[in-house]
Amino acid sequence: MSRKKIALIGGGQIGGVLTQLIALKELGDVVLFDIVEDLPQGKTLDIAEASRVDGFDVSLKGTNEYKDIKDSDLVIITAGLPRKPGMSRDDLLTTNAKIMRSVAEGVKEFAPDSIVIIISNPLDAMVTLFKKVSGFPVNRVMGQAGVLDSSRFSSFIAWELGVSVKDVNAMVLGGHGDTMVPLIRYANVNGVPVMEMLERKYKDAAKAKEVMDAMVQRTKMAGGEVVKLLKTGSAFYSPASSAITMAEAILKDEKRLLPVCSYLDGEFGVDGYYVGVPTVLGEKGVEQIIELTLDNDEQAMFDNSVNAVTKLVADMERLGL
Ligand code: A3D
C-alpha cells in the first residue's frame, strides 16, 4: 500500500496542529500550503525536526505553490480568517468566500480526485461554495463541524455527571451556528440515557431539564466562549482533532458514523443543501447518510437550523460571492 498524500490548505493555527497530528499518527505525507511566504515552510520544518523524539517518519513539506499538492488523496481546508471577539461566524462570509473560491480552483486543478474536508467558516456556506466551484461529486466534499460540536457537548455531560468522557455518546446535528441541534434524547453514557442520570442525580425532573438546557446552550456558544478567552482568534486544537477523526475514518476506510456536514439530496426532507447529519465515512468519503427519527421539538430545531443554512447560502448568492 502506497503512502497517502494529504494536502492542508491554510497553514495557520489549525493547519499547524493538523500537520503535527498527522505526523504523530503517521497518517500520510503532508503538504502544507499557505499564501504567506515562509510560514508553512517554517511550521513543517519545526514539526519535522521533532520526528526523532516523537518517533514518526513521514514527509512534511511547506509550500506557497499549488502544484505541490498534486495528486493528493485528501485535502483539508482551513484557509480563511477566524473570528475575533464580538464577531459571528457569518461575519466572515465575504472575506472567506473569496478565499474559498481561489482554494477550490487550486484543488480542482491539482488534486481533482481528492476527498475534501472543509473547516473554514462560515462552514455550511464554505462547503457549498467549494462544491459549486470545484464541481466535485458530493461524496468527496464535506465539512467538519459536528464532530467538534458533539465533542464539546460530550465533554460538558461528562464533567456534569462525573463519568469518563470516553463513555459519553452525544450528537449535535444541523448547521454550524447558534441554531445547531444537540440531540438530548439520544445522548447516553454507555447506553444509559443522560436525562435519566440527571434526574436521578437531582431527584427533580425540572432541575435536570434546567441543567441539560444549560449544557445545550453552552454547546451552542462554545466556539464563542473560546474566542472570548483567546481574544486573537478561535479554537484550534479541538477543531484540528475533530478533522483528524474524519480524515482517519476516510484514509483507513473505518466506516465510522460521525456527525458530518454532508450534502442532503432529500434525506431529512432537505433538498440540495449541506447540513450536519449522521454520516458513515469510509474510503469513498461520504458513504451513507443515516436518517433518524426526530420528535416534534427536535424537528422544529432542525428545521430552524436548516433555515439558517439556506439563508446564509442565499446571502452568498445575493452578494455574488
Ligand atoms: P488562522 O490561524 O488565521 O489561519 C488561517 C490561514 O489561512 C492563515 O495562515 C492565512 O494566511 C491562510 N490563508 C488566507 N488566505 C488564504 C488563501 N487564499 N489560500 C491559502 N491560505 C490562505 O485561522 P485558524 O487556523 O484558527 O482558523 C481557520 C478557519 O477555520 C477560520 O475560518 C475559522 O473560523 C475556522 N474554524 C472552524 C471551526 C469549525 O469547527 C468549523 C472551528 C474553528 C475555526
Side-chain angles (χ1 to χ4, degrees):
M1 204 171 72
S2 66
R3 268 207 336 226
K4 298 290 186 183
K5 178 170 176 179
I6 304 163
L8 305 176
I9 313 294
Q13 298 282 61
I14 302 178
V17 182
L18 285 172
T19 307
Q20 190 177 30
L21 289 174
I22 291 168
L24 290 172
K25 288 171 174 271
E26 294 188 315
L27 292 180
D29 294 332
V30 175
V31 175
L32 180 67
F33 173 96
D34 202 289
I35 49 165
V36 178
E37 251 176 60
D38 294 340
L39 174 76
Q41 290 84 346
K43 284 203 180 178
T44 46
L45 180 62
D46 185 17
I47 294 166
E49 286 173 354
S51 60
R52 179 65 189 88
V53 276
D54 280 326
F56 61 78
D57 189 358
V58 291
S59 147
L60 305 177
K61 179 184 172 66
T63 185
N64 306 112
E65 291 187 77
Y66 269 109
K67 68 174 172 49
D68 291 325
I69 73 162
K70 194 171 172 352
D71 297 335
S72 294
D73 299 290
L74 183 74
V75 177
I76 308 180
I77 303 173
T78 61
L81 299 190
R83 283 193 282 171
K84 296 253 168 63
M87 286 173 88
S88 82
R89 293 178 181 90
D90 297 357
D91 293 336
L92 302 167
L93 183 64
T94 309
T95 317
N96 285 357
K98 286 184 189 136
I99 295 173
M100 189 54 67
R101 253 184 196 280
S102 69
V103 171
E105 275 153 15
V107 173
K108 183 182 176 181
E109 182 173 354
F110 291 101
D113 298 321
S114 58
I115 294 178
V116 180
I117 301 172
I118 292 151
I119 311 184
S120 314
N121 272 319
L123 195 266
D124 310 282
M126 291 304 102
V127 183
T128 306
L129 184 60
F130 183 94
K131 175 200 160 262
K132 188 173 143 192
V133 176
S134 69
F136 281 17
V138 293
N139 65 302
R140 292 203 276 116
V141 181
M142 70 198 83
Q144 185 300 120
V147 176
L148 170 59
D149 297 328
S150 303
S151 181
R152 286 171 167 159
F153 188 33
S154 300
S155 302
F156 303 148
I157 290 169
W159 299 338
E160 165 61 32
L161 290 174
V163 298
S164 168
V165 73
K166 290 183 186 175
D167 292 329
V168 179
N169 296 298
M171 245 196 314
V172 179
L173 305 186
H176 185 55
D178 302 347
T179 60
M180 66 180 75
V181 188
L183 288 183
I184 299 169
R185 213 162 41 96
Y186 286 97
N188 68 80
V189 182
N190 258 350
V192 183
V194 169
M195 277 317 293
E196 197 176 316
M197 291 178 75
L198 283 173
E199 280 163 18
R200 281 183 201 278
K201 176 175 172 181
Y202 289 103
K203 299 180 182 59
D204 175 354
K207 175 68 184 166
K209 183 175 178 309
E210 194 183 301
V211 171
M212 175 51 89
D213 287 348
M215 290 195 288
V216 164
Q217 193 54 22
R218 189 172 179 195
T219 302
K220 292 181 178 184
M221 298 297 158
E225 187 180 352
V226 176
V227 170
K228 207 167 158 201
L229 292 165
L230 294 181
K231 296 183 183 68
T232 52
S234 52
F236 54 100
Y237 295 109
S238 55
S241 295
S242 303
I244 291 297
T245 299
M246 293 169 63
E248 215 167 352
I250 294 166
L251 294 166
K252 297 184 179 171
D253 193 21
E254 288 176 332
K255 316 284 188 209
R256 288 202 61 190
L257 192 161
L258 298 167
V260 172
C261 177
S262 300
Y263 186 82
L264 298 184
D265 189 11
E267 297 91 346
F268 288 90
V270 178
D271 219 351
Y273 284 95
Y274 271 97
V275 182
V277 290
T279 301
V280 174
L281 291 185
E283 65 181 349
K284 295 188 179 66
V286 170
E287 297 193 350
Q288 286 185 64
I289 307 255
I290 306 298
E291 292 195 75
L292 44 77
T293 317
L294 300 176
D295 67 19
N296 288 343
D297 285 352
E298 291 158 353
Q299 188 66 51
M301 285 191 286
F302 187 77
D303 292 345
N304 185 35
S305 195
V306 171
N307 284 342
V309 174
T310 56
K311 187 183 165 303
L312 191 64
V313 171
D315 283 351
M316 191 164 66
E317 278 162 12
R318 188 172 45 77
L319 294 166
L321 298 168

